[in-house]
Amino acid sequence: MADRGIHERGWKLKSIVGITTSFSSSEQRLDHRFVRAVEAAGGLAVIVPVTENRCLIRRITELIHGLIVPGGPAVTEGMTGDIPDELQTTDPLREASDRAVLQECMRADKPILGICYGMQLLNALAGGTIWADVERQLPGAAVHSEMRGATTHPIRPVKGSQFARLLGASEREVNTRHLQAVKEPGVGFRVAAISPDGVIEAIENDTGSQIGVQFHPERMGPEVLPLFVNLIQLADRYAYQASLRV
């Protein structure tokens, strides 16, 4: 009866997008800007709990239609070099939980948006590699870390990429808050944007349904909303196709 009432009022049931969170001192926290971005794009945001229970993780990923993995501390999987002093290691429970949720969604081919840490973890799980400290390891790299004084820098979308189709092919300015960066894309992923100094700023899979960005679109304006709209549209499609299999 409740569902009927919703439809009678003309409301639409929205696709569910899970968002993983930070985890420190046994507390989960989520920047509310992610929730607002998902809602602005037409989706329903839910927090993915940090858990080591694989049965619960499988159940959670069955319920969601798309996934966002936000920023976080260091990614050690696939890492080249040593973690810089300024960067904290990720809580083992969060790391295991994030990895399991991402693996389930990747296996089910669900749409994913990985942001900063999320991009790096997505890439690592696909077999890619990570610079531990891109500023010190990549010759000619500019300062990319807010902790070392960076604020913004330009990026260049790769022609023909889904990223370029969403945000345009022209060079654009983005925020920058990272010490680590993708060194080599994982299997099934390709470079979608790059900064003038050669740092990889976005990756995507062959279909463009799973995208990773090194910057933080939740902290930017409506010009990057298409990244979230794309995620919701793909989640809508996934939800519809899943309903046909029931």
Side-chain angles (χ1 to χ4, degrees):
M1 293 294 292
D3 284 351
R4 184 186 304 172
I6 288 173
H7 287 298
E8 284 174 354
R9 289 193 294 271
W11 293 3
K12 175 187 175 184
L13 294 178
K14 300 177 182 295
S15 294
I16 301 171
V17 173
I19 310 177
T20 65
T21 71
S22 66
F23 187 72
S24 178
S25 302
S26 299
E27 289 189 359
Q28 280 192 259
R29 293 187 179 184
L30 177 67
D31 188 328
H32 195 254
R33 285 174 286 196
F34 285 106
V35 176
R36 293 202 297 267
V38 169
E39 291 178 351
L44 170 64
V46 298
I47 291 175
V48 175
V50 174
T51 177
E52 52 194 340
N53 188 317
R54 289 302 294 253
C55 291
L56 289 178
I57 286 172
R58 281 193 291 270
R59 181 59 179 144
I60 291 163
T61 53
E62 286 172 358
L63 293 172
I64 63 177
H65 307 117
L67 178 69
I68 295 175
V69 181
V75 173
T76 56
E77 190 162 351
M79 187 177 70
T80 300
D82 299 321
I83 298 174
D85 293 337
E86 302 100 313
L87 192 58
Q88 294 180 328
T89 57
T90 304
D91 185 288
L93 182 55
R94 178 190 176 179
E95 186 176 24
S97 182
D98 286 352
R99 183 188 298 112
V101 171
L102 253 176
Q103 286 173 331
E104 291 290 336
C105 287
M106 292 170 76
R107 195 159 23 242
D109 199 27
K110 294 191 177 186
I112 297 169
L113 178 58
I115 296 171
C116 200
Y117 157 97
M119 167 181 167
Q120 295 158 10
L121 185 57
L122 176 66
N123 185 66
L125 291 180
T129 54
I130 307 293
W131 294 114
D133 187 337
V134 68
E135 296 172 18
R136 293 172 178 163
Q137 292 178 285
L138 180 64
V143 177
H144 285 254
S145 168
E146 185 181 52
M147 291 180 284
R148 296 176 182 169
T151 54
T152 64
H153 65 68
I155 62 170
R156 299 166 181 164
V158 173
K159 185 178 179 180
S161 66
Q162 175 72 350
F163 183 88
R165 285 190 285 272
L166 292 172
L167 298 187
S170 300
E171 185 174 279
R172 65 172 54 243
E173 200 79 8
V174 298
N175 54 38
T176 182
R177 300 167 55 85
H178 64 99
L179 286 169
Q180 295 186 302
V182 168
K183 181 181 179 183
E184 293 289 341
V187 177
F189 283 83
R190 62 194 176 204
V191 177
I194 195 165
S195 58
D197 58 359
V199 174
I200 296 172
E201 289 287 332
I203 59 171
E204 62 187 33
N205 66 353
D206 293 336
T207 63
S209 63
Q210 297 176 357
I211 296 176
V213 296
Q214 193 58 72
F215 55 95
H216 287 259
E218 80 282 2
R219 295 170 178 265
M220 299 171 67
E223 71 274 9
V224 295
L225 185 62
L227 286 171
F228 295 96
V229 172
N230 178 65
L231 179 73
I232 300 307
Q233 289 175 340
L234 292 170
D236 286 344
R237 186 183 308 165
Y238 189 96
Y240 174 72
Q241 291 172 344
S243 72
L244 297 179
R245 295 193 291 268
V246 175

